[in-house]
Each structure stands twice: as structure tokens, then as C-alpha cells.
Amino acid sequence: MTQSFDVDSFIRSRKQTRVVSDLLKAQAADYLATLAPLVRPQPLFGEYLQGAPRGSGRETQHHFKEFRTLFDKHAALRPFNLMNELEVPLNIINSTPELFPLEYDHALPGGNSVRVTSPARWVVGYSSFELSRFRQVIRDPNRSGSELHRFVVHYLMLFHCFSRAGGLGRLFRGLRFPVGFQQLDDFGELPFCVISSPVASTLPSDEVIRHSTEISGSRSFEELISEDAIAAMQDDLREQLIRAVNAAPSA
């Protein structure tokens, strides 16, 4: 996309991005649903989790101690400022993972900023704990401390389960939807689990973003997926096989 704002070209890129993003998200959600049993908290926490069967005493105690340390590290910090401690057994209302849009702020020249959504990366959370609602609770000066506490506990629980699931990262990477952990705008140092797609999305020039937001009257924007990005997709297994063949003895 060039510096000049071509409305027809931009609309075409937006439509193309939406079609590709929907397909990618559906594939990522299908993989996530299939592998969800590997990140269920019940086997890890046993009796420390409300309604879960008793587990291996030493192992479940180890996971709870790790989780309590994780909670103590993040809950008291801004923007949460939570002072209440964990109650045992932990009440995990829903442990079904779901994908939510990844958003971040992008500063434009002149001091303005737009909220950008990625069409090729998603934050993993639990159903009934939408990331957008979490953001609303944080920003609400009259927020419910108990609701905020539940959000922090659930997202930290998901991070703990994903980070302790041995081999899960290799599985997702093999499926070409790698899993990583990162901090997000509005949530301080809280770590989130993010699934990326095999195709990259990018921002056009600030001039294009400015024109688009002025026309739409919105302060939000979505990254774009180009045909070149799709053509540039890499197959890690293919590359690995090619390297192996090239390195094999000739005789």
C-alpha cells in the first residue's frame, strides 16, 4: 500500500484481510479446542481447585505454590491494586479456552493514537471472561473488586497451565500456529498467552491509517494481510527436510 490513499484498493485489502482472518481464526480455534484437555487446571491443582478430584499431593501442592507466587507477584501491581489473597479451594468458573482479539495502541504523528486489532494473532482466555470486559473492569473507577479478582485469577491460571504443559508449544508450532506469552496494553505486567497464525499482518503507513479513521470517524484500525504475506508463508517441516537432504552424504 502506497502513501496515497486509494479508497478502492483499501476496501479490497480490508475485505481480503477479513476473509483470510476468519479462516485462520477458525483453524486456530479448532486446534485449541482439540488440545484443550492438555491445559485443564483440574489435573494440576486437584483438591486446591473447587470441584476437582483429589490429585497427587506433592504435585498439586507444588502447582498451587507456584500459582500463589504468580498471583502475589501481579495482583497487587497497577492497574489491579488487589489486596485480597487467594482463597482455597480456587474457584475456576470456566476452564474452556477461547480466542479473543489482540489489540494495542498505535501512536500517530500529532499526538493522536488509534486502537489496532490484529487479524492474525489472538489472546487465549477462558469462556465468560472476555478480554474486552476485563479491560472495561480495569478502567471503571467504580469497579467490583471481586470481579477484577476473578479476571486476574482466571488469566493467570490459563498462563500457568499453558506454560507448564510440556510439549504443547511444539505441537502448536508444528501446526504452524505458534504460542507465545506477552504483555498487553492496559494490563500492566500481566502475562497473556497469544496464538499467532502462519501468515503475518502489518500496518500500512500512518497516512493511510489517518485517512481511514477520518473517513470512518472511528479511532480503531485493523492490520492488513496482503497477498505477498500469504505467498511468503513458510513451511518449517519442508525447510527442515530440504536442509536434511542437502546435508546428507552424496555417496
Side-chain angles (χ1 to χ4, degrees):
M1 189 162 294
T2 62
Q3 287 294 108
S4 59
F5 187 65
D6 184 331
V7 175
D8 290 337
S9 176
F10 178 74
I11 292 175
R12 185 165 56 252
S13 294
R14 286 286 300 272
K15 289 181 177 179
Q16 172 181 282
T17 294
R18 182 46 36 210
V19 169
V20 174
S21 178
D22 288 346
L23 288 172
L24 291 171
K25 184 178 180 182
Q27 187 70 77
D30 183 48
Y31 290 150
L32 181 63
T34 302
L35 298 173
L38 299 178
V39 290
R40 293 177 67 246
Q42 287 81 0
L44 300 181
F45 288 86
E47 64 273 18
Y48 289 96
L49 209 63
Q50 187 169 309
R54 187 174 182 84
S56 171
R58 181 172 297 180
E59 185 176 351
T60 55
Q61 185 181 49
H62 172 72
H63 280 288
F64 176 72
K65 285 184 176 179
E66 279 196 339
F67 184 74
R68 184 170 57 190
T69 299
L70 185 67
F71 178 83
D72 291 343
K73 176 182 177 181
H74 293 283
L77 299 178
R78 297 180 64 185
F80 314 116
N81 303 314
L82 290 171
M83 303 305 295
N84 44 336
E85 299 180 354
L86 288 175
E87 295 184 1
V88 181
L90 300 171
N91 183 17
I92 299 301
I93 299 173
N94 193 323
S95 59
T96 302
E98 187 174 327
L99 296 178
F100 300 114
L102 185 149
E103 299 179 350
Y104 62 92
D105 292 322
H106 175 73
L108 294 174
N112 293 325
S113 66
V114 295
R115 176 52 60 107
V116 177
T117 301
S118 171
R121 293 177 293 162
W122 306 274
V123 179
V124 185
Y126 287 136
S127 298
S128 305
F129 287 87
E130 291 83 0
L131 195 62
S132 58
R133 176 56 187 165
F134 192 4
R135 187 175 282 111
Q136 290 174 1
V137 173
I138 290 174
R139 293 176 174 177
D140 185 357
N142 300 314
R143 65 195 183 194
S144 164
S146 59
E147 183 179 14
L148 180 61
H149 182 274
R150 286 194 296 271
F151 269 100
V152 173
V153 167
H154 278 73
Y155 274 93
L156 285 177
M157 177 62 70
L158 191 140
F159 167 76
H160 176 87
C161 292
F162 264 84
S163 61
R164 298 301 183 273
L168 187 64
R170 293 192 298 275
L171 274 174
F172 272 104
R173 189 163 57 250
L175 295 169
R176 303 204 296 181
F177 283 82
V179 173
F181 304 105
Q182 68 181 76
Q183 297 169 1
L184 303 177
D185 290 343
D186 303 325
F187 299 97
E189 298 180 8
L190 195 74
F192 287 87
C193 177
V194 175
I195 292 181
S196 301
S197 78
V199 61
S201 57
T202 57
L203 282 177
S205 67
D206 287 341
E207 188 68 11
V208 169
I209 297 174
R210 185 180 65 80
H211 277 298
S212 171
T213 54
E214 286 180 350
I215 291 173
S216 66
S218 170
R219 304 308 303 171
S220 61
F221 192 85
E222 184 177 41
E223 293 175 346
L224 300 176
I225 299 174
S226 67
E227 293 182 26
D228 290 340
I230 297 174
M233 287 174 56
Q234 295 183 345
D235 188 322
D236 291 341
L237 180 58
R238 175 180 178 275
E239 297 300 322
Q240 185 178 354
L241 293 174
I242 290 175
R243 289 195 299 269
V245 169
N246 291 336
S250 56

